[in-house]
Amino acid sequence: MRLRPIAVLALLFVLGVQSGEAQSPRSSSSRSSDQAAAMFRRMDRDRNGVIDKAEAPAKLKAMFSEWDQDSDGKISKAEFESNFARSRGRGKASQTGEYIAPAARGERQAEVLKRGDRAPDFTLPRVGGEGTVTLSDLYRDKPVVLVFGSISCSPFRQRVQQVEQLYEEHKDNANFLMVYIREAHPDSKIQVKTAEGDEVLQTFVQTNDLALRREHAATCERTLSLSFPMVMDGVDNRVNAAYAGWPIRLVVIDRDGRILDPGAPGPQGFTPDKVATWLKTLE
């Protein structure tokens, strides 16, 4: 996302954020979070928890599509705070050379699953190693947490660490499986870890073939230090379509193969805390 610091300063000015706040002894991250929350409350005039384009001031309208990370026509509080924090830290980001591109268009799938539905079965190739994983084989053993995402989604890179922690805490009574899907923000440039352990900048184009998707998925697994199993959706993107997993999503499936919690599309619907509550009921 090419957002100059001056754009954020303009937003601060428009909304009346006082420069005296900079003198507060609180941490800069806390001040930034408070500023973002205050700005969001002022813009969300109908108090429905999102900012639509009609509510957005001119400065935000100009970059609305970039801040609307899941391309649903609304900016959630999580999206606003994520973009605000990244734009305020643009100096740091420019040192690494990272660039977050706008969200891909036309990727969102229609919602079809609800709680109690039979989970669509699938067999997909493993990212690490040979062979495949079949969903029904997993839930016959334990409940399953399905994780949908891609490395180009910055909220995913942040929140999946909570999923990793849940896996470490609950892997004895639940199976976890990540399904790597099409990129959320193709053409983004992200600092990643190579197989040799070096940190490099890599541009992630859209994955239209399995070889490239496997490469992206392996880089995601390595960079984010994920230890739960990972598979990749096929070139037909059938599994993503069945679960409406793009851009990111968490789905909990019980031992009967029924949807226990269908979750909701991310970023705002990607809620590891809610999954943690479900997992505790399964202990």
Side-chain angles (χ1 to χ4, degrees):
M1 178 177 60
R2 299 186 186 279
L3 181 61
R4 296 186 298 274
I6 188 64
V8 176
L9 292 176
L11 275 174
L12 288 169
F13 179 79
V14 167
L15 292 167
V17 177
Q18 299 298 317
S19 61
E21 291 181 8
Q23 305 304 317
S24 169
R26 300 175 66 228
S27 70
S28 59
S29 61
S30 295
R31 293 195 302 271
S32 177
S33 178
D34 289 348
Q35 288 177 349
M39 291 169 67
F40 184 87
R41 285 194 299 271
R42 296 185 188 188
M43 292 185 196
D44 181 20
R45 295 194 296 270
D46 59 7
R47 299 294 186 265
N48 67 344
V50 295
I51 300 169
D52 59 37
K53 205 160 188 177
E55 292 176 307
K59 292 292 184 181
L60 183 56
K61 275 187 173 72
M63 49 196 181
F64 196 91
S65 62
E66 296 178 353
W67 284 43
D68 178 17
Q69 295 173 326
D70 61 0
S71 304
D72 66 350
K74 300 179 289 290
I75 297 175
S76 68
K77 188 171 185 290
E79 287 174 322
F80 188 91
E81 291 180 347
S82 172
N83 281 286
F84 183 86
R86 183 163 51 246
S87 59
R88 289 294 298 272
R90 183 56 57 185
K92 181 178 180 181
S94 65
Q95 292 174 12
T96 67
E98 287 193 341
Y99 164 67
I100 306 302
R105 298 292 181 179
E107 297 288 346
R108 184 172 294 281
Q109 301 290 325
E111 293 287 325
V112 292
L113 296 179
K114 59 183 182 296
R115 185 177 179 184
D117 283 353
R118 173 70 61 183
D121 201 8
F122 59 78
T123 298
L124 292 176
R126 295 179 181 272
V127 171
E130 300 296 324
T132 59
V133 175
T134 298
L135 175 63
S136 55
D137 289 342
L138 294 181
Y139 65 65
R140 287 193 188 102
D141 178 38
K142 304 172 187 176
V144 178
V145 177
L146 286 181
V147 185
F148 293 87
S150 66
I151 193 170
S152 61
C153 180
S154 54
F156 175 78
R157 295 198 302 275
Q158 298 162 9
R159 299 179 198 180
V160 77
Q161 298 305 319
Q162 293 177 259
V163 180
E164 174 68 22
Q165 183 176 350
L166 289 177
Y167 171 70
E168 292 299 331
E169 294 173 356
H170 297 278
K171 60 185 175 183
D172 290 339
N173 52 31
N175 285 313
F176 285 65
L177 182 68
M178 177 171 171
V179 181
Y180 198 94
I181 56 177
R182 283 170 63 82
E183 297 298 327
H185 293 258
D187 302 319
S188 293
K189 183 180 289 187
I190 303 164
Q191 188 165 329
V192 299
K193 186 178 295 185
T194 68
E196 293 75 28
D198 299 322
E199 291 191 350
V200 300
L201 285 170
Q202 180 175 331
T203 299
F204 289 85
V205 298
Q206 192 56 277
T207 55
N208 294 313
D209 63 77
L210 284 183
L212 182 59
R213 187 166 295 176
R214 184 185 296 275
E215 178 185 317
H216 285 197
T219 301
C220 175
E221 187 175 49
R222 182 171 57 244
T223 300
L224 302 180
S225 300
L226 302 180
S227 53
F228 48 88
M230 185 185 297
V231 294
M232 53 186 177
D233 201 2
V235 292
D236 58 1
N237 304 298
R238 180 179 64 85
V239 176
N240 172 60
Y243 286 87
W246 189 94
I248 56 177
R249 193 174 195 134
L250 291 168
V251 179
V252 183
I253 302 169
D254 67 19
R255 291 188 62 183
D256 294 324
R258 301 282 179 180
I259 303 292
L260 184 60
D261 182 5
Q268 60 269 31
F270 195 88
T271 53
D273 290 343
K274 185 179 179 183
V275 172
T277 300
W278 282 115
L279 290 172
K280 288 177 182 177
T281 69
L282 303 173
E283 292 178 352

